[in-house]
């Protein structure tokens, strides 16, 4: 059985879209008709789902803040979604339109959102589903909006912290390329006219410049190929696991990555618990928010221990799933029956810890980049000056 995406007309003439599960297109058409609709177009959902991209956390936060505010004010959910649809872009806007169609067909909000796989994170769907089960959809929507806003802010801070080192590295690479392919070859032509033996540093510089000048047209496609292979390899579980293990093992990067994953997991866990979701399903959904393959595996192992009757905090500590400071707050929340509240506080604390770690990493990275590229430029200047000073006065 596979999914089919349909476009159909309602008895009142309105056009609706959605998906149904069926073995063949004929059965899918029958299923659409059974919903009281008139099928217009059918296609395999897999062909469209493969092109769906996840909406950005910032866009999701803006949309769900609007939906939450309108729903809390008493606006019907379908009207709240329709009013917020103009704030969305791309796949998210289409998802909201299909969600409204799903609501009119009798689906719940979480079910209607889940039909467009990949656009809305599973954590968000879990919070909404928990709120629907407990007849607390409005508080759940507010919790979703808060979670998405915190997630978007965390991502923005990480990008902001790494923006200057990335710009510095790019400027350094461009400078080296220009010097190696433009400046040094011209000096080499001038020095070659004198017919004198050049210093060792100058010869090394000229050889390196010639290699770069002749090979960069082939190196550019090769670099693009390596980048593409790297991106494809990251999507493979074995490569992704190895990469995440390597990053977690690094001295400073590992602590920052662990803190970021802890912030995402505990905030998602706290939000779902506050929305009324039981602990085991909340742990299952929170693993999606980790953003780290290894941390997600550790959460799975901890969840299995909890399912067997073990306490949560010792299970997380045994599997090293969260940072130490967050584990302490989780233990306090578990013992005081305030796990949701303490998990949210643990997320805030882990986010602050990740931000401090990022500042430390950037503080070390920026001087390292400056010294590296500065040293390379200094070597170029020294090699050229040695060549100029080695020219005997009689050749002029």
């Amino acid at each position: 059985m596979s999914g089919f995406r349909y476009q159909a007309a309602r008895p009142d003439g309105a056009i609706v879209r959605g998906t149904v599960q069926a073995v063949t297109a004929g059965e899918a058409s029958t299923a659409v008709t059974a919903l009281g609709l008139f099928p217009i177009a059918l296609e395999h959902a897999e062909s469209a789902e493969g092109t769906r991209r996840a909406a950005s956390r910032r866009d999701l936060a803006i949309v769900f803040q609007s939906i939450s505010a309108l729903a809390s004010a008493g606006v019907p959910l379908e009207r709240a979604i329709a009013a917020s649809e103009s704030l969305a872009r791309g796949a998210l806007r289409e998802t909201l339109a299909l969600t409204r169609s799903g609501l009119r067909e009798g689906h719940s909000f979480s079910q209607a959102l889940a039909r467009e796989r990949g656009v809305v994170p599973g954590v968000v769907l879990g919070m909404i589903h928990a709120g629907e089960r407990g007849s607390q959809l409005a508080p759940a929507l507010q919790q979703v909006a808060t979670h998405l806003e915190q997630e978007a802010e965390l991502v923005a801070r990480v990008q902001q912290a790494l923006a200057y080192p990335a710009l510095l590295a790019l400027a350094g690479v461009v400078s080296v390329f220009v010097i190696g392919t433009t400046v040094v070859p011209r000096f080499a032509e001038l020095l070659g006219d004198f017919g004198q033996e050049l210093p060792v540093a100058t010869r090394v510089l000229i050889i390196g410049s010639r290699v770069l000048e002749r090979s960069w047209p082939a190196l550019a496609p090769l670099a693009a190929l390596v980048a593409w292979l790297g991106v494809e390899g990251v999507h493979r579980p074995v490569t992704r696991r190895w990469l995440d293990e390597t990053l977690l093992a690094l001295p400073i990067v590992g602590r920052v990555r662990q803190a970021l994953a802890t912030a995402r997991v505990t905030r998602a866990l706290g939000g779902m618990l506050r929305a009324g979701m039981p602990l085991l399903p909340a742990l299952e959904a929170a693993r999606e928010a980790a953003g780290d393959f290894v941390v997600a595996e550790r959460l799975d192992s901890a969840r299995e221990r909890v399912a067997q009757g073990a306490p949560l905090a010792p299970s997380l500590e045994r599997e090293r799933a969260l940072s130490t400071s967050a584990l302490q707050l989780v233990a306090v929340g578990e013992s005081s029956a305030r796990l949701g509240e303490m998990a949210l506080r643990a997320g805030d604390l882990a986010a602050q810890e990740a931000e401090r770690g990022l500042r430390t990493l950037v503080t070390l990275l920026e001087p390292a980049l400056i010294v590296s590229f500065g040293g390379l430029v200094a070597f170029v200047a020294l090699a050229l000056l040695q060549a100029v000073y080695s020219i005997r006065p009689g050749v002029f």
Side-chain angles (χ1 to χ4, degrees), residues 83-257:
S84 306
E85 192 173 325
S86 61
L87 302 175
R89 299 179 298 177
L92 181 56
R93 173 175 289 188
E94 182 181 348
T95 297
L96 292 177
L98 295 175
T99 299
R100 290 193 291 111
S101 299
L103 290 176
R104 289 193 294 267
E105 295 165 12
H107 297 288
S108 67
F109 189 23
S110 59
Q111 291 174 342
L113 279 175
R115 294 193 302 177
E116 289 297 307
R117 298 179 182 178
V119 179
V120 180
V123 174
V124 172
L125 299 176
M127 291 185 188
I128 295 175
H129 181 63
E132 290 172 336
R133 289 180 57 185
S135 299
Q136 296 182 352
L137 181 58
L141 288 174
Q142 181 60 47
Q143 195 63 51
V144 166
T146 301
H147 169 75
L148 290 171
E149 180 61 31
Q150 291 174 339
E151 183 73 9
E153 183 179 357
L154 182 62
V155 172
R157 288 181 178 178
V158 172
Q159 293 175 345
Q160 184 179 6
L162 298 178
Y164 180 69
L167 180 61
L168 187 62
L170 178 61
V173 170
V174 172
S175 299
V176 170
F177 178 79
V178 172
I179 292 174
T181 59
T182 304
V183 178
V184 175
R186 293 184 179 180
F187 269 91
E189 292 177 2
L190 294 175
L191 296 174
D193 293 338
F194 296 121
Q196 295 191 9
E197 185 178 0
L198 299 175
V200 176
T202 307
R203 293 201 300 270
V204 171
L205 176 63
I206 292 175
I207 292 174
S209 174
R210 288 175 179 172
V211 171
L212 179 62
E213 185 179 14
R214 294 174 181 175
S215 61
W216 77 263
L219 289 176
L222 180 61
L225 177 61
V226 171
W228 179 79
L229 290 175
V231 172
E232 290 295 321
V234 167
H235 289 92
R236 298 182 179 180
V238 175
T239 308
R240 177 69 182 274
R241 191 178 192 282
W242 173 83
L243 179 61
D244 289 345
E245 284 183 343
T246 303
L247 292 175
L248 285 173
L250 296 177
I252 299 178
V253 177
R255 289 198 299 269
V256 173
R257 192 171 180 85

Side-chain angles (χ1 to χ4, degrees), residues 12 45 67 104 160 242 269 299 303 315 349 357 379:
D12 60 358
I67 295 175
R104 289 193 294 267
Q160 184 179 6
W242 173 83
L269 178 63
L299 283 173
R303 181 184 177 278
S315 300
L349 182 63
F379 169 75

Side-chain angles (χ1 to χ4, degrees), residues 256-307:
V256 173
R257 192 171 180 85
Q258 179 81 14
L260 288 172
T262 298
R264 294 190 181 103
V265 168
T266 51
R267 282 174 170 174
L269 178 63
M272 285 181 286
L273 293 176
R274 292 285 294 272
M277 180 177 286
L279 178 58
L280 290 177
L283 285 172
E284 176 67 25
R287 69 184 299 276
E288 182 182 338
D292 188 289
F293 193 86
V294 176
V295 173
E297 285 186 341
R298 295 175 181 178
L299 283 173
D300 278 340
S301 300
R303 181 184 177 278
E304 292 178 2
R305 294 179 58 82
V306 173

